[in-house]
Every structure is written in structure tokens, then in C-alpha cells.
């Protein structure tokens, strides 16, 4: 299994459940170091606000879940929301 695969699946699932256009969700895993990955999330134009949420609560929650998924793999992860 590739590094960050669990993080990618978990983040992708959560974001697809939040947005109006789940077919336009893209989660890309970028290796930042030997034990660190970055999940880049892209959505349709109008959906990014829904994902980030009020006062960034959605973004913080997604980052927390991604961190827990990364712990399962023995790595650390961060999530970046790309316009």
C-alpha cells in the first residue's frame, strides 16, 4: 500500500459527503518527507466554502481525522485546501 493511501481515502470520503458536486473532488497526496505527507484537496468553485466551513471548523475537523488516519500508517499528515 502506498504511503498516505489511508489518508487519501478518508479525506476523499469526507469531502465527497460534504459537497454538492462529489464528482469534482480531487485529493492528491504529496510526500513531504520520509514520514510526512500532504493531502491537497480540490473541489468545484462553489463547494470549497462548504468544506472549509464557518470559522474553519470543517477544515479543522478534516485535518484532525487525516491526522488520525496518518497515525494508523505510522506517518504524519497535513491537509491543504487548494482553490
Amino acid at each position: 500500500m502506498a504511503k498516505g493511501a489511508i489518508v487519501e481515502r478518508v479525506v476523499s470520503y469526507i469531502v465527497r459527503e460534504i459537497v454538492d458536486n462529489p464528482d469534482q473532488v480531487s485529493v492528491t497526496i504529496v510526500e513531504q518527507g520520509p514520514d510526512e505527507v500532504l493531502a491537497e484537496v480540490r473541489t468545484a468553485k462553489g463547494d470549497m466554502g462548504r468544506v472549509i466551513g464557518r470559522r474553519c471548523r470543517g477544515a479543522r475537523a478534516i485535518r484532525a481525522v487525516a491526522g488520525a488516519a496518518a497515525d494508523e500508517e505510522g506517518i504524519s499528515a497535513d491537509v491543504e485546501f487548494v482553490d
Side-chain angles (χ1 to χ4, degrees):
M1 187 177 283
K3 190 186 307 183
I6 295 173
V7 174
E8 180 181 9
R9 288 197 313 247
V10 168
V11 171
S12 179
Y13 176 78
I14 292 170
V15 173
R16 287 177 197 272
E17 291 298 314
I18 295 172
V19 300
D20 288 330
N21 301 307
D23 295 336
Q24 294 184 8
V25 171
S26 169
V27 178
T28 307
I29 297 295
V30 179
E31 290 189 30
Q32 297 285 357
D35 292 331
E36 187 176 345
V37 295
L38 173 69
E40 294 180 341
V41 177
R42 290 178 175 79
T43 65
K45 289 285 185 194
D47 286 336
M48 189 57 76
R50 294 185 71 144
V51 173
I52 294 173
R54 288 188 181 150
R55 297 185 181 176
C56 294
R57 287 182 181 160
R60 279 195 297 256
I62 292 169
R63 286 183 176 119
V65 173
D71 284 345
E72 285 292 316
E73 294 187 68
I75 60 174
S76 64
D78 192 19
V79 180
E80 184 176 302
F81 301 94
V82 181
D83 279 339

